[in-house]
Amino acid sequence: MYSPFFDKKGQPLSIDKIKYGHLSQLVDCDEGHHVEYKLLLEDGGKAQLAKEITSFANCEGGWLIIGIDDKTKKIQPIDKQDYSQRIGKIATRISPMPEFNTRFLASPDNKRTGVLVVYVYEGKNAPYICNGSVYVRSGSSKEPIKPADRGNIEYLYERSKEYQKNIDNFCKRDFYYAYNNILQRKATYPIANIYLKNVSSKYSNFFNLYTNRDKFIDFIKLKNDIFEHISYSMNSIIFMHWYGLPSALSML
């Protein structure tokens, strides 16, 4: 994921980590394939904004930063509102609706004004269509794919199929007892299990942190007291009704 914002160690920051002070880093960041500036949210109209969101989703994702002059990079604060709901309504023009996240960075001098940052995630169900056209990024602008440019359309479909293939393979995985018959070395009893996989780009690294993992496990256990054993494997959490031991079968 590209980000125009960095921490003190030079590591890129996701939208949930940025603060108002990070906006100063935009002074050297021009509009381009991943970044677009706007003075107001709906500059050019709602239809234009929908096309811009579509173009980011069809490519590698991108940042819409509202309240920044695209020429001078100076901050022009906008009023604080429920922008997430407004963008959500605009995104209904897009099929399927892409994933996005919003963050309003309030000005230290006036908490009622600030800069709106919107991150549109790379779409997993491409191509995304807006008003009958498939838009992609071309430099700092959005362009519809022409009917003759069949290769781009096929690429977007293949990207979507690859994502679905990963989901299908994930759902086919099974855990087995090492051996239920020591002499014949056969494994015929699958363990009953439930897998939880992140399918949203917003939280792709959520389970990588121990604290997030523990909070989620505690939440599931609070709602369901049937699980006796829980483990983390292959970026997923496996909940089991009993410990994975052959001897447990005798207790059923």
Side-chain angles (χ1 to χ4, degrees):
M1 180 189 77
Y2 168 81
S3 175
F5 305 104
F6 299 87
D7 62 16
K8 294 180 179 179
K9 296 181 180 179
Q11 297 299 313
L13 293 172
S14 57
I15 189 171
D16 58 310
K17 301 296 184 182
I18 60 176
K19 299 179 181 179
Y20 190 88
H22 291 119
L23 295 173
S24 62
Q25 299 176 358
L26 298 176
V27 67
D28 296 320
C29 181
D30 294 327
E31 283 189 320
H33 195 68
H34 297 284
V35 178
E36 174 122 359
Y37 299 112
K38 285 178 172 291
L39 285 177
L40 297 173
L41 177 62
E42 295 171 13
D43 276 351
K46 296 180 180 179
Q48 287 297 105
L49 180 59
K51 293 175 184 178
E52 288 160 358
I53 294 174
T54 304
S55 68
F56 280 131
N58 277 326
C59 293
E60 294 86 19
W63 301 77
L64 283 169
I65 304 173
I66 297 91
I68 298 283
D69 188 299
D70 64 331
K71 296 180 177 61
T72 65
K73 308 300 189 307
K74 288 185 178 180
I75 297 175
Q76 302 289 334
I78 60 175
D79 293 334
K80 185 176 182 179
Q81 299 178 24
D82 186 0
Y83 289 106
S84 179
Q85 186 176 20
R86 287 177 61 184
I87 296 174
K89 289 181 178 179
I90 292 172
T92 59
R93 299 166 178 255
I94 307 167
S95 180
M97 183 184 289
E99 287 187 85
F100 66 90
N101 205 353
T102 63
R103 186 88 182 275
F104 188 83
L105 305 176
S107 170
D109 301 325
N110 184 355
K111 299 297 183 181
R112 292 175 295 179
T113 65
V115 172
L116 174 67
V117 181
V118 181
Y119 183 73
V120 182
Y121 293 87
E122 177 181 347
K124 295 178 179 178
N125 297 304
Y128 291 83
I129 303 172
C130 180
N131 296 333
S133 296
V134 178
Y135 290 87
V136 294
R137 298 297 292 179
S138 178
S140 60
S141 63
K142 61 202 172 298
E143 297 291 342
I145 294 179
K146 298 177 181 179
D149 196 359
R150 184 182 178 87
N152 282 333
I153 295 289
E154 291 180 347
Y155 165 75
L156 293 173
Y157 273 117
E158 287 301 319
R159 195 175 79 187
S160 180
K161 286 169 60 178
E162 183 64 25
Y163 169 69
Q164 187 58 51
K165 180 181 177 181
N166 291 336
I167 294 295
D168 292 342
N169 289 337
F170 177 88
C171 294
K172 290 178 181 178
R173 293 184 299 137
D174 281 315
F175 278 75
Y176 285 83
Y177 296 122
Y179 302 112
N180 68 289
N181 187 315
I182 302 300
L183 294 178
Q184 298 181 12
R185 292 182 176 274
K186 292 181 179 180
T188 57
Y189 295 107
I191 301 175
N193 48 65
I194 299 173
Y195 304 94
L196 296 177
K197 180 178 179 60
N198 286 313
V199 296
S200 172
S201 301
K202 295 181 182 179
Y203 308 105
S204 58
N205 296 316
F206 186 83
F207 285 152
N208 290 347
L209 299 177
Y210 288 105
T211 53
N212 290 343
R213 206 179 305 162
D214 290 342
K215 288 179 181 178
F216 188 82
I217 289 174
D218 289 341
F219 174 78
I220 295 296
K221 290 172 66 177
L222 181 65
K223 300 293 183 179
N224 303 275
D225 58 0
I226 61 175
F227 300 115
E228 295 186 13
H229 184 59
I230 301 168
S231 62
Y232 176 74
S233 176
M234 300 178 70
N235 295 321
S236 61
I237 298 178
I238 302 96
F239 293 83
M240 289 175 279
H241 293 83
W242 66 84
Y243 284 93
L245 298 173
S247 59
L249 292 173
S250 62
M251 296 185 290
L252 296 179

